Amino acid sequence: DAKHLVPNKMRDFFCTINLDQEEVFRTQVVEKSLSPYFGEEFYFEIPRTFQWLSFYIYDKSVLQKDLRIGKVSIKKEDLCNYTGKENWFMLQPFDSNSEVQGKVHLELKLNELITDNGSVCQQLVVHIKECHGLPLINGQNCDPYATVSLVGPSRNDQKKTKVKKKTSNPQFNETFYFEVTRSSSYTKKSQFQVEEEDIEKLEVRVDLWNNGNLVQDIFLGEIKVPVKVLRNDSFQAWYLLQPRENGNKSSKTDDLGSLRLYICYTEDCVLPSEYYISLRNLLLKSSEVQPISASAAYILSEVCRDKYDAVLPLVRLLLHHHKLVPFVAAVAELDLKDTQEANTVFRGNSLATRCVDEMMKIVGKHYLKVTLKPVIDEICESPKPCEIDPIKLREGDNVEINMENLRYYVDKVFREIVRSSISCPTLMCDVFYSLRHLAAKRFPNDPHVQYSAVSSFVFLRFFAVAVVSPHTFHLRPHHPDAQISRTLTLISKAIQTLGSWGSLTKSKLSSFKETFMCEFFKTFQEDKFTESVKKFLDDVSSTESREPSGLSEPVHLKEGEMYKRAQGRTRIGKKNFKKRWFCLTSREFTYHKQQDKEPIFTIPIKNILAVEKLDESSFNKKNMFQVLHGEKPLYIQANNCVEASEWIEALCRVTRCNQKRLSFYHPSAFLNGNWLCCKATIENTVGCARCTADVPADTQIEIDGDRETERIYSLFTINMSKLQKLEEACGSIAVYQGPRKEPDDYSNFTIEDSVATFHTLKQIIDTVEKLNESHEKYRKKRSSSAKYGSE
């Protein structure tokens, strides 16, 4: 959210998230507010290098260009200082001289030349090769050129490259020569008198500009390299473009307001897979360790300050290697040992409940979409008033009509849920089966506990949470407005109550804090609701497969607006791109003239042969990819790099088991009678580059096991002092068998078997220390091979 925005009058605001100058996400518009609440979450993998993560606040305009109010820009290196916590940031003014992105490839060399009379002078050679990732200007590729200058206290020699048209990755390949020092016999009168010692003060400056033709040129960034670092050596490196130091900075910054952000940023250096074998095996055998509290995975959750930090990579790693179900069963059994009453089964935030929560988010993503998305769309797009709290009723509201509307929505959501068991993923069913039988074993005299153990997850922690926060589960693009949020909250409360086994009894209803909710639920006291819940819970906690070979309805995976190139209908090439609405389901990939219109073109998923990136040089457009199928390739341009990456991943994931997938493809397009990449003249010739995803993989979950193991290694490294204290505590208990010393150091840890825990801790510490050595070797190797200015 933001507060105290200027101008000091009610306006319509929205916020964008940018990687450097590329917008990757945009919030909904909050109307008529000076302190707008956005309440939106965005999670994304960063597909390219970047310098700044920026947030821009805009004043929405109907007739004119949206006005930038201010920004918050955080340098990549500083993100770790703000991760994992909320921070208020003061908005900074927009300054065109600081809005830069991209990098430039230079080769610099200092030559010594011998003149005709035998004296020595120095010459600087600057070879500007290329740039990469320059920003779009007004949504189009720029027309860049570079100026190369040798700058000192009393000189400023400047030279200029040719302008490259319509490209964000210009290839300059131009060389410039500058005199650094002149021979003592140099007699020609010059405006520069350069002495040997002036080399210490000279620097090479490269400025990138967009050629504005009839308007002012736009600054794109600059780099500066001191000549003294060259000496007699040759340097070749990529340099990140920097903002201009003397930008439009005023001595006094106006108070533009502030923006509250919660940022969670992780960056891992993933080594080759063989380096992780020991740590990975130690984690994967956790479910076999007795007791489970002595396992590596359990110890990880104990030493991390926030259990969620440990749960996310741990669940993903165990899922990837099919070890999650036995581990969840083991930690759930430990959880139940400490549970004294049947009605509090799995109600806390333990390791077991958090693991199941995270598993449901990952595995149940498609299940939620096929079950809830249609009804959530109806509620959000055609909302009916549903407020039944007398205190919150507005003038003119009819509580009886509102109650009917709410009952209609609750019935519809409930009906969709209890009919959805056939779509419940098998893995979720296996976990629910284990939890159900463990709860029944712990409380054998309670006939209802086997159902409440499952309903506490599937209703309370899965469906009810998705209803109240549909944007978090990608069921809606944005956070709903206040009125719809209130409706969804009431529906969510109802679903929690209906899904809680036995909660429709009179004793349960009397415990409601809100009288109006008690009155509302009296209309639900019918056996059919209880029986429907019971049947649903029986179905989803069965060991039988819940995923049939063909669902009656296709699963909706992704949709959005992009640009596609016409498929051979006209010979006009570069300009023939049209905006279309694309939709991907488990059966087909389609595009439409507009959302909710009939598809213009359909590709069955089984016919897709490959999905790959397309070189920008093909059409001088960024963020392009190609879908190869039986006919001509479908060339598509996404709106930004994150969107392009997500579409490629989604298409690859759903098509990787296709039997006729290609192993080779063409990275560029076939234009003017030849492939731009390999110059082959036959259009249907075999590709010249290997496909990036030619091996069939899990079509549901895409997980990089090595990356998750690296994340766990990082967590162990951060908490090494706790591991060592715990090891010392286990050793003390095992040797002395007496009262624990310094209980404050480890009293919060679970130590059931000190010998087994000590053994596991020693293995963890040894493994982490070996990985430390491997990382240090990599850092030294990278540092020794890095050139001045390289990324």
Side-chain angles (χ1 to χ4, degrees):
D1 60 348
K3 63 182 181 182
H4 308 318
L5 299 181
V6 296
N8 294 316
K9 55 182 178 179
M10 302 297 236
R11 303 300 289 265
D12 302 339
F13 295 106
F14 66 92
C15 180
T16 67
I17 304 175
N18 293 47
L19 289 175
D20 296 323
Q21 292 308 292
E22 183 176 14
E23 180 184 320
V24 293
F25 288 108
R26 177 179 293 208
T27 69
Q28 64 181 348
V29 177
V30 178
E31 297 179 349
K32 295 182 173 51
S33 175
L34 285 177
S35 298
Y37 177 77
F38 300 109
E40 300 200 35
E41 295 180 12
F42 301 97
Y43 171 84
F44 58 99
E45 298 286 335
I46 300 176
R48 63 169 177 83
T49 58
F50 71 103
Q51 294 187 71
W52 299 86
L53 178 66
S54 300
F55 303 83
Y56 291 86
I57 295 288
Y58 285 84
D59 179 1
K60 180 71 175 175
S61 177
V62 178
L63 301 177
Q64 300 176 342
K65 188 176 179 181
D66 297 332
L67 176 66
R68 282 182 178 177
I69 298 298
K71 68 173 184 177
V72 172
S73 290
I74 305 171
K75 205 163 188 177
K76 178 185 174 183
E77 292 78 14
D78 296 332
L79 281 170
C80 58
N81 299 329
Y82 303 105
T83 189
K85 53 190 176 184
E86 284 187 1
N87 291 279
W88 279 101
F89 297 88
M90 294 298 294
L91 290 176
Q92 301 300 316
F94 170 75
D95 173 17
S96 59
N97 285 321
S98 68
E99 310 297 309
V100 303
Q101 75 172 50
K103 55 187 178 180
V104 58
H105 192 191
L106 294 181
E107 183 177 8
L108 305 172
K109 190 172 183 180
L110 201 58
N111 290 335
E112 286 191 346
L113 302 179
I114 301 176
T115 62
D116 294 338
N117 62 5
S119 60
V120 177
C121 67
Q122 289 186 306
Q123 181 188 59
L124 175 67
V125 182
V126 181
H127 180 193
I128 179 166
K129 295 187 173 186
E130 59 181 316
C131 289
H132 184 79
L134 297 180
L136 299 177
I137 304 296
N138 296 325
Q140 301 294 323
N141 281 332
C142 54
D143 296 337
Y145 69 90
T147 59
V148 182
S149 308
L150 182 62
V151 182
S154 59
R155 68 185 293 178
N156 187 355
D157 294 345
Q158 186 177 94
K159 300 180 181 182
K160 178 181 171 183
T161 68
K162 295 177 181 177
V163 176
K164 300 296 178 180
K165 293 288 186 180
K166 301 299 177 192
T167 177
S168 296
N169 301 323
Q171 303 284 325
F172 293 113
N173 202 27
E174 295 188 40
T175 305
F176 301 99
Y177 300 90
F178 298 90
E179 287 182 346
V180 177
T181 59
R182 298 188 177 91
S183 64
S184 56
S185 61
Y186 189 81
T187 57
K188 185 177 179 181
K189 192 170 181 180
S190 171
Q191 59 181 347
F192 302 119
Q193 301 297 323
V194 183
E195 302 297 334
E196 180 75 31
E197 60 270 15
D198 286 341
I199 292 179
E200 297 292 323
K201 302 174 183 177
L202 294 177
E203 65 181 11
V204 180
R205 193 177 75 203
V206 179
D207 294 82
L208 269 294
W209 299 86
N210 176 60
N211 183 38
N213 292 323
L214 300 178
V215 296
Q216 186 177 2
D217 293 353
I218 298 174
F219 175 75
L220 301 177
E222 69 177 12
I223 63 108
K224 296 177 181 180
V225 183
V227 173
K228 64 183 180 181
V229 304
L230 303 177
R231 294 304 175 188
N232 294 322
D233 198 3
S234 173
F235 278 83
Q236 183 177 174
W238 283 97
Y239 296 81
L240 293 170
L241 292 172
Q242 302 297 324
R244 187 184 279 166
E245 288 183 358
N246 61 344
N248 300 331
K249 295 180 180 177
S250 59
S251 57
K252 182 182 177 182
T253 302
D254 293 331
D255 187 1
L256 301 174
S258 53
L259 182 66
R260 182 167 59 168
L261 302 170
Y262 180 87
I263 299 171
C264 187
Y265 173 78
T266 57
E267 180 178 338
D268 298 309
C269 171
V270 183
L271 299 173
S273 187
E274 58 268 20
Y275 287 89
Y276 299 108
I277 291 174
S278 297
L279 181 57
R280 184 168 58 240
N281 290 341
L282 194 59
L283 292 160
L284 294 180
K285 71 176 184 181
S286 291
S287 60
E288 303 164 15
V289 176
Q290 292 293 334
I292 189 65
S293 60
S295 68
Y298 193 91
I299 290 171
L300 173 68
S301 71
E302 288 280 270
V303 297
C304 287
R305 185 174 60 86
D306 186 347
K307 271 189 170 60
Y308 181 76
D309 292 339
V311 165
L312 181 57
L314 183 60
V315 167
R316 292 172 68 85
L317 180 68
L318 295 174
L319 265 176
H320 184 62
H321 292 280
H322 310 290
K323 296 282 188 179
L324 183 65
V325 176
F327 178 74
V328 168
V331 292
E333 190 171 12
L334 180 62
D335 200 9
L336 286 167
K337 282 183 183 178
D338 297 328
T339 305
Q340 302 304 318
E341 297 181 13
N343 61 359
T344 61
V345 164
F346 302 131
R347 293 299 173 95
N349 280 323
S350 64
L351 177 60
T353 57
R354 291 195 177 199
C355 283
V356 177
D357 286 350
E358 199 56 46
M359 177 275 297
M360 292 190 297
K361 285 180 185 176
I362 298 169
V363 178
K365 199 179 294 183
H366 297 163
Y367 178 34
L368 278 177
K369 282 188 176 181
V370 74
T371 305
L372 289 183
K373 192 173 190 325
V375 65
I376 294 293
D377 285 344
E378 179 188 337
I379 294 167
C380 293
E381 291 167 12
S382 305
K384 298 177 181 179
C386 295
E387 185 56 71
I388 58 174
D389 184 353
I391 298 174
K392 294 183 179 181
L393 285 173
R394 292 182 296 187
E395 189 176 348
D397 281 354
N398 186 314
V399 69
E400 292 182 359
I401 293 176
N402 288 6
M403 192 173 288
E404 287 179 12
N405 293 337
L406 182 60
R407 175 64 191 257
Y408 166 78
Y409 283 146
V410 170
D411 278 342
K412 195 161 189 177
V413 173
F414 179 79
R415 188 166 58 249
E416 292 297 330
I417 291 172
V418 295
R419 289 178 179 176
S420 70
S421 59
I422 193 70
S423 304
C424 186
T426 304
L427 186 68
M428 286 176 63
C429 294
D430 290 342
V431 170
F432 294 153
Y433 175 82
S434 296
L435 298 177
R436 174 178 180 170
H437 285 272
L438 285 169
K441 181 181 174 183
R442 174 70 178 84
F443 298 100
N445 298 323
D446 190 323
H448 300 319
V449 73
Q450 59 178 321
Y451 295 107
S452 60
V454 179
S455 67
S456 64
F457 286 106
V458 73
F459 277 101
L460 272 65
R461 294 173 176 263
F462 187 58
F463 284 119
V465 177
V467 168
V468 81
S469 302
H471 57 291
T472 306
F473 292 84
H474 305 291
L475 299 177
R476 294 291 299 170
H478 296 294
H479 187 281
D481 64 32
Q483 182 180 341
I484 294 174
S485 288
R486 175 62 179 164
T487 298
L488 292 174
T489 300
L490 292 171
I491 296 170
S492 179
K493 282 185 177 183
I495 294 302
Q496 289 181 53
T497 305
L498 291 173
S500 298
W501 178 256
S503 63
L504 293 180
T505 60
K506 290 182 180 179
S507 60
K508 289 281 184 180
L509 285 176
S510 62
S511 66
F512 269 112
K513 292 181 181 178
E514 303 101 334
T515 308
F516 62 89
M517 290 300 288
C518 183
E519 292 298 318
F520 176 66
F521 275 109
K522 285 180 181 178
T523 63
F524 285 89
Q525 291 191 62
E526 302 171 21
D527 290 340
K528 68 174 185 178
F529 288 100
T530 305
E531 287 304 311
S532 295
V533 171
K534 181 177 181 295
K535 183 179 183 307
F536 171 73
L537 295 175
D538 280 332
D539 288 342
V540 297
S541 58
S542 165
T543 54
E544 298 176 10
S545 173
R546 292 291 127 200
E547 294 176 308
S549 57
L551 295 174
S552 58
E553 292 293 330
V555 178
H556 178 94
L557 303 177
K558 190 171 177 61
E559 62 181 354
E561 203 168 58
M562 295 187 289
Y563 296 84
K564 66 96 191 173
R565 182 176 183 258
Q567 294 190 298
R569 298 187 183 93
T570 171
R571 296 187 65 85
I572 302 174
K574 293 187 177 179
K575 295 183 180 178
N576 198 14
F577 279 80
K578 294 183 179 179
K579 187 185 289 187
R580 292 289 182 257
W581 185 265
F582 288 80
C583 183
L584 174 65
T585 72
S586 55
R587 290 185 188 172
E588 58 191 21
F589 181 51
T590 59
Y591 63 76
H592 316 242
K593 197 164 186 178
Q594 293 176 341
Q595 188 178 5
D596 299 327
K597 297 289 184 182
E598 289 299 312
I600 300 172
F601 189 75
T602 300
I603 307 174
I605 292 299
K606 63 181 181 181
N607 291 355
I608 295 178
L609 306 176
V611 181
E612 298 288 345
K613 290 182 179 179
L614 187 72
D615 284 352
E616 181 195 323
S617 58
S618 299
F619 303 104
N620 283 330
K621 291 182 181 292
K622 300 178 73 172
N623 305 316
M624 289 204 66
F625 62 95
Q626 53 184 318
V627 179
L628 307 178
H629 56 110
E631 302 176 28
K632 293 190 176 187
L634 177 60
Y635 297 130
I636 302 171
Q637 183 188 24
N639 294 299
N640 56 65
C641 62
V642 172
E643 189 178 90
S645 178
E646 289 178 348
W647 272 104
I648 293 170
E649 182 185 349
L651 283 159
C652 285
R653 188 168 61 239
V654 79
T655 60
R656 277 188 174 173
C657 287
N658 286 358
Q659 305 237 337
K660 296 181 179 179
R661 280 192 65 87
L662 298 176
S663 295
F664 292 88
Y665 78 107
H666 290 284
S668 292
F670 186 82
L671 294 174
N672 302 321
N674 66 78
W675 289 101
L676 300 180
C677 42
C678 60
K679 308 305 179 188
T681 56
I682 302 174
E683 189 169 3
N684 60 354
T685 189
V686 176
C688 57
R690 180 171 285 279
C691 289
T692 56
D694 60 346
V695 180
D698 188 341
T699 58
Q700 276 199 331
I701 308 162
E702 196 68 18
I703 294 172
D704 183 341
D706 292 338
R707 182 177 180 181
E708 305 304 334
T709 313
E710 169 63 29
R711 182 98 289 272
I712 291 170
Y713 153 74
S714 299
L715 293 170
F716 276 136
T717 303
I718 293 167
N719 295 284
M720 180 56 73
S721 61
K722 289 184 180 179
L723 290 171
Q724 291 168 340
K725 283 183 180 179
L726 188 55
E727 184 186 35
E728 184 182 334
C730 289
S732 175
I733 295 167
V735 172
Y736 297 108
Q737 290 295 321
R740 298 184 180 186
K741 297 181 180 180
E742 298 178 8
D744 291 344
D745 285 342
Y746 53 86
S747 57
N748 292 327
F749 295 133
T750 303
I751 305 176
E752 290 183 288
D753 186 328
S754 58
V755 175
T757 306
F758 180 89
H759 178 67
T760 304
L761 282 163
K762 191 173 188 321
Q763 288 180 296
I764 293 171
I765 292 170
D766 290 346
T767 304
V768 170
E769 286 176 350
K770 286 179 182 177
L771 270 171
N772 284 341
E773 293 173 7
S774 300
H775 276 280
E776 188 59 33
K777 285 179 183 176
Y778 171 79
R779 277 191 287 268
K780 285 181 178 178
K781 182 180 178 182
R782 186 179 182 187
S783 177
S784 63
S785 62
K787 298 286 188 179
Y788 179 90
S790 60
E791 295 181 77

